[in-house]
Amino acid sequence: MGDSCQACITRIPHATLIATIMCCLGVGVFCGTMYRGSTISKVMFEEVFRFRLIWIETLQMIFIVGCACMAALGLILLFLGCLTTGATRQKVYRAWRARVGGRISCAVFMIITYILTLIWIILLGFLVVTTFLFTIFWKLCSKPKNIDLSTCIDFTQFDFMFPSSVKQEDMRICDAQKTKLFCKDYVEKAEFMFILAMVSCILVILSLVHYLMCLSANYAHIRDHEKFQELQELQYLTNPDLHASKDRF
């Protein structure tokens, strides 16, 4: 029983498994927080500033599809890691074609993972900017003069960032109800969502870096296994008596 458990454990790609858990956890949190945060932002612009961001719904669909693809990629890389770990590698990559196919698969997934890492780094930069903007909004809401409504939260100096259809009075938040909507109901919740999304994005980037290291190691393992097979076949040619002890290899 102990030997079978030990053999099973040696077949598990622990590094790839950890990377997959990090990837799935990060992608799940990212998808949920970005969907919620973008929904809050959409409602905020509609009810406070009186204009609609029509592209947010498309962005939400892209987030959902992209996160599903990332989760599928994580499971594929986990399966590939299982094939290149322990005794499984010795059985799967015995033939020359299998070894070549394994090396090509690792190389292709390394390229895909590298490109995805760059995409997620760009996405992290976008989230840093978005979180910074909502933090500024929250600081405006926290000013004592804005809390007691002695002054308005004025965005008229940023009118170039708003569509031309938005009126000047809609860029000023003065009454108590509108201030509560902007600060407590939207900015506070959206900022928290975007902070969580930023943390989960960092987690996904770390998992992709782990995948790159694991794929590089798996590529090297398959290549070294090919050299071991060539050495073994050379020994069989020079000493036919070794065929009798083939199982020990």
Side-chain angles (χ1 to χ4, degrees):
M1 183 66 180
D3 294 338
S4 62
C5 290
Q6 184 177 1
C8 182
I9 292 175
T10 56
R11 294 171 185 263
I12 299 175
H14 297 92
T16 307
L17 180 61
I18 293 173
T20 303
I21 294 174
M22 292 173 58
C23 181
C24 292
L25 180 62
V27 165
V29 175
F30 176 83
C31 184
T33 53
M34 283 301 294
Y35 189 90
R36 178 61 177 165
S38 59
T39 301
I40 293 174
S41 301
K42 175 186 174 184
V43 177
M44 179 189 73
F45 284 111
E46 288 178 355
E47 295 191 1
V48 177
F49 299 107
R50 307 300 180 186
F51 76 95
R52 184 179 182 184
L53 297 174
I54 58 176
W55 48 268
I56 284 188
E57 295 180 358
T58 304
L59 192 63
Q60 289 175 334
M61 290 301 300
I62 293 175
F63 284 147
I64 294 174
V65 174
C67 290
C69 293
M70 282 295 301
L73 178 65
L75 295 177
I76 292 173
L77 293 178
L78 179 61
F79 177 73
L80 183 62
C82 292
L83 294 179
T84 55
T85 302
T88 307
R89 180 178 64 249
Q90 299 177 6
K91 293 181 179 180
V92 173
Y93 297 108
R94 283 183 178 273
W96 177 80
R97 291 184 178 180
R99 292 193 295 270
V100 172
R103 292 173 64 179
I104 292 175
S105 299
C106 289
V108 169
F109 280 113
M110 276 193 288
I111 294 173
I112 294 174
T113 305
Y114 185 81
I115 295 173
L116 287 174
T117 303
L118 295 178
I119 293 174
W120 279 91
I121 290 175
I122 295 172
L123 190 57
L124 177 61
F126 169 76
L127 279 172
V128 169
V129 173
T130 304
T131 306
F132 178 72
L133 288 176
F134 274 88
T135 302
I136 293 176
F137 293 163
W138 180 245
K139 290 296 182 181
L140 290 174
C141 293
S142 302
K143 291 178 65 176
K145 291 183 179 181
N146 292 331
I147 293 176
D148 58 20
L149 301 178
S150 59
T151 60
C152 298
I153 302 176
D154 192 359
F155 292 99
T156 54
Q157 64 268 32
F158 301 108
D159 57 351
F160 60 91
M161 301 179 63
F162 291 88
S164 58
S165 59
V166 180
K167 300 178 181 179
Q168 291 288 328
E169 55 268 21
D170 290 332
M171 299 180 191
R172 296 168 58 88
I173 304 173
C174 298
D175 59 278
Q177 182 179 2
K178 198 172 182 180
T179 301
K180 178 182 178 299
L181 280 175
F182 179 73
C183 295
K184 296 294 294 182
D185 295 343
Y186 299 136
V187 171
E188 183 179 1
K189 296 178 181 178
E191 183 188 17
F192 180 69
M193 290 293 107
F194 288 129
I195 290 174
L196 285 180
M198 188 170 59
V199 174
S200 63
C201 188
I202 295 174
L203 186 62
V204 173
I205 293 173
L206 290 177
S207 70
L208 290 173
V209 174
H210 279 220
Y211 279 133
L212 283 174
M213 293 188 292
C214 294
L215 288 169
S216 301
N218 292 337
Y219 183 91
H221 287 158
I222 297 173
R223 182 189 58 191
D224 294 340
H225 184 69
E226 181 178 0
K227 294 180 179 179
F228 175 77
Q229 289 287 342
E230 292 175 354
L231 177 61
Q232 182 179 350
E233 292 173 0
L234 181 62
Q235 289 177 338
Y236 288 159
L237 290 174
T238 56
N239 189 358
D241 294 336
L242 290 176
H243 284 284
S245 58
K246 184 177 179 179
D247 292 338
R248 60 180 178 169
F249 291 100

